[in-house]
Every structure is written in structure tokens, then in C-alpha cells.
Amino acid sequence: MEQKEKRVKIKQERIMKYFIESAEEIIQKEGIESVTIRKTADLAGYTSATLYNYFDNLTHLIFLATMNHLENYNKHLYKSVANCKNSIEVYMSVCLCFSEHAYSEPDIFELLFFSQDREKFEEYTNQYYELYPSKEKETPQFLNTMYHLNNIYSRSFTMLDNCIKDGYLNEENANDFNDICLRFTKTIIEDVKKDNMTKAEAIQITMKYYYQLFGFYLKPKYKHILEDYYKKLMKK
């Protein structure tokens, strides 16, 4: 029985990958807005009804098909924090890394992090790593935690939690700071999508706002750490 179940699981995963890779091909050639259930099923060589046996809906399919973009971001993320000396530097470095990737592919990052359907995204993220286990790497614990969270609020708070533990930030201020930052980031992503702002402009204004808000919420005696690192970061 175990052998039979194993064969069934292998077959299911293989078919899911056909659909995911077909959707990814459409995204690469035509853009994320061109992905439909019927078009993906046709390209994969199956019916739309078969596709629905493996995915909850179109968002589920597109999410898994765009996860490779998140992989590229995660790799850059790891490098961006490698030489950070404290959790303040980590936070600002991650903010810059996210901005650079999100404003390069605003449609995809808006879906991955700000979609209204994000309640199940952590489940989908774990499913992706089950389908593609070689994608997982040994990373620092807080980054590994982030990689399995696709709720942007939870991802961002894991970094602020380190700032709280290190004594840089009061816990009562962290939720407000997190909420404000993510709300304006979502608005800027929308502006980039609509060509109301260039990527370079978006990065500059995002980092300025993060710096100003972080400075407001940080304990006064640690503000010099933020000031010094912000100057260094924005010169790169």
C-alpha cells in the first residue's frame, strides 16, 4: 500500500509541475495577466477540469508559477545581510533588497506579498518547497523563517522582532511601524505598476520613508546606528 501511495504522489507532483511550468512559460512570454486556466491547461496538454484537481484556483497556480522569482530575491537577500553587524542594519538591508526586486517586477511581487488571497500563501509556499526540495538552502534561522512566510506583515515583523530582542525598539511600537511601512510600500508598488514612478525613484523614496519612520520609533540612543548605516547603504 505504501508503495502504491508513493507512486500516486509522484504522479500528482509530476502533473502539478507540468501546469506550474506551463504557467511560468506564459508569464515569461506574455505577462502575468495573460495566465488563464484554459491557456495553461492547453499548454500542459491537459483539460481545465484536470487542472482544478490540483489547484484551488488561478491564484494558487500563478503563485506557485512565480515562486522562482521569490527564489532569486531570497538569494539576493542572503547576500545583502551577510555583512550586517546588527539587527538595525539587517532590517534596512532587507528593505533595500525587497525594494529593488519588487519594483523590478511589481505585478509579481504584489501578488506574492499583497494579494487579498494571501491567507493560504504560507501553505502554498510550503507546498512549493515540497515540490522543489532542492530550492531550500541552509540559511540563518530568521531568514529560513522568512522564506516560509508569504504574509508580508509576518515576514517584516520577524526582522523587527530581532530589533526588539536586541533592545533597539519597544514592542508596543513595532506593530504600528510595521503597518505604516507596508501600507506605503504597497502604494508605491502600485505607482510603479502604473508607470507613475520609475524604479529608481521608488527605491529612493521608499528607503527615505523607512529611514525616517525607523528613526522615529527607535530608542534615541541607537539612532546613530541607523543614521550611519543609511548613509552607507544609499551610497552603494
Side-chain angles (χ1 to χ4, degrees):
M1 181 62 72
E2 289 183 3
Q3 191 64 29
K4 182 178 179 181
E5 290 176 354
K6 185 177 180 180
R7 287 198 299 269
V8 169
K9 183 180 180 181
I10 291 172
K11 180 181 178 181
Q12 289 175 337
E13 291 180 348
R14 184 172 65 248
I15 294 174
M16 283 191 75
K17 288 179 180 179
Y18 289 153
F19 287 125
I20 291 168
E21 289 158 11
S22 295
E24 185 178 353
E25 183 177 337
I26 295 169
I27 292 170
Q28 294 293 335
K29 292 181 178 178
E30 304 175 42
I32 197 170
E33 69 284 349
S34 297
V35 180
T36 65
I37 293 293
R38 177 174 292 181
K39 186 182 290 188
T40 304
D42 287 346
L43 186 58
Y46 291 91
T47 65
S48 297
T50 301
L51 189 150
Y52 276 116
N53 289 331
Y54 297 91
F55 300 90
D56 296 340
N57 47 40
L58 182 61
T59 299
H60 183 191
L61 170 66
I62 293 175
F63 180 88
L64 293 178
T66 55
M67 274 291 289
N68 70 308
H69 296 264
L70 190 60
E71 283 300 304
N72 292 332
Y73 163 57
N74 286 340
K75 289 175 184 176
H76 186 193
L77 195 62
Y78 186 31
K79 293 179 181 178
S80 72
V81 302
N83 297 316
C84 290
K85 299 175 183 176
N86 53 64
S87 53
I88 293 175
E89 293 187 2
V90 168
Y91 185 83
M92 293 300 290
S93 292
V94 171
C95 291
L96 179 58
C97 182
F98 179 83
S99 298
E100 289 172 344
H101 284 263
Y103 302 146
S104 293
E105 300 178 302
D107 290 338
I108 290 173
F109 273 73
E110 184 178 54
L111 170 76
L112 288 171
F113 290 106
F114 293 101
S115 171
Q116 294 302 311
D117 299 321
R118 65 176 179 264
E119 291 80 5
K120 297 195 72 174
F121 279 9
E122 289 173 26
E123 175 188 328
Y124 295 163
T125 300
N126 291 330
Q127 183 181 46
Y128 175 82
Y129 286 115
E130 288 177 7
L131 288 168
Y132 302 97
S134 63
K135 297 285 188 180
E136 288 199 283
K137 306 289 184 184
E138 286 295 324
T139 60
Q141 181 57 43
F142 89 94
L143 283 181
N144 188 54
T145 300
M146 285 177 63
Y147 293 169
H148 285 269
L149 296 173
N150 266 68
N151 179 323
I152 186 66
Y153 289 85
S154 299
R155 261 200 175 218
S156 183
F157 201 85
T158 59
M159 296 181 295
L160 289 178
D161 194 41
N162 287 333
C163 290
I164 294 168
K165 291 174 181 176
D166 292 341
Y168 298 131
L169 187 68
N170 289 323
E171 187 172 359
E172 58 267 27
N173 293 331
N175 282 310
D176 288 345
F177 174 49
N178 197 40
D179 185 57
I180 294 168
C181 289
L182 295 175
R183 286 181 186 277
F184 77 68
T185 301
K186 185 177 187 298
T187 300
I188 294 173
I189 286 178
E190 291 171 354
D191 280 339
V192 175
K193 275 181 62 178
K194 296 174 183 177
D195 293 325
N196 293 331
M197 192 178 294
T198 67
K199 174 186 172 181
E201 291 169 341
I203 290 173
Q204 287 294 323
I205 196 168
T206 297
M207 294 308 297
K208 182 178 77 170
Y209 289 166
Y210 271 105
Y211 164 67
Q212 291 174 339
L213 282 165
F214 205 6
F216 177 80
Y217 283 107
L218 272 180
K219 293 178 181 179
K221 63 181 178 180
Y222 298 118
K223 289 184 180 181
H224 70 280
I225 299 175
L226 174 65
E227 291 170 0
D228 292 344
Y229 193 65
Y230 176 71
K231 292 174 184 177
K232 177 182 176 182
L233 195 62
M234 299 313 290
K235 285 181 181 178
K236 292 183 180 179

